[in-house]
Amino acid sequence: MEGDIHDNASGFAERVGGNRTFMSHGAIVQAVSESDGGSPVFVLLLCLFLVMGVVQVVRPQLLWKANSRLQRGWVRNPEATEPTSKGYAMNRVVGVIFLGFVIWMLVQQF
């Protein structure tokens, strides 16, 4: 039928304006993987995450104070939910892992 999309083993065939266009899987992968670098918005977002990760490692209390306001209204005593020193140590460990991941993603962008 005219306008149907046909698929075969050697690649993808698409009927465009009555003409068949073939594109192999390798060409699609190559076209997708060729990039001129990361999106500026994505890099900016990663930099924001980098700053948040540094704050989480250096001063996790600041993040708790910033987020404790969100508990008001549904938690009776938000100050009672402050983590212990072991909880802050765990926050730091998670922050180091998070920083490693964000740095790895930033390096992959360039």
Side-chain angles (χ1 to χ4, degrees):
M1 290 182 139
E2 186 98 19
D4 284 349
I5 297 175
H6 302 281
D7 188 41
N8 61 21
S10 65
F12 301 100
E14 183 178 343
R15 212 174 268 278
V16 180
N19 299 326
R20 261 191 197 172
T21 306
F22 286 93
M23 186 174 253
S24 70
H25 179 69
I28 293 171
V29 171
Q30 182 180 4
V32 169
S33 65
E34 289 179 357
S35 174
D36 60 349
S39 165
V41 174
F42 186 63
V43 171
L44 183 65
L45 187 65
L46 285 176
C47 290
L48 177 69
F49 287 157
L50 186 71
V51 170
M52 287 175 54
V54 168
V55 170
Q56 185 174 357
V57 170
V58 176
R59 295 283 296 171
Q61 296 88 350
L62 293 177
L63 289 178
W64 178 82
K65 286 179 185 176
N67 292 323
S68 68
R69 293 184 207 134
L70 299 174
Q71 297 179 9
R72 298 197 195 289
W74 59 278
V75 173
R76 216 175 277 183
N77 186 4
E79 288 76 28
T81 64
E82 184 173 7
T84 62
S85 60
K86 288 182 182 180
Y88 282 132
M90 192 63 192
N91 279 339
R92 286 186 173 100
V93 169
V94 170
V96 168
I97 295 169
F98 180 75
L99 276 175
F101 183 69
V102 169
I103 290 170
W104 176 77
M105 288 181 68
L106 273 171
V107 168
Q108 294 297 316
Q109 292 298 311
F110 300 104

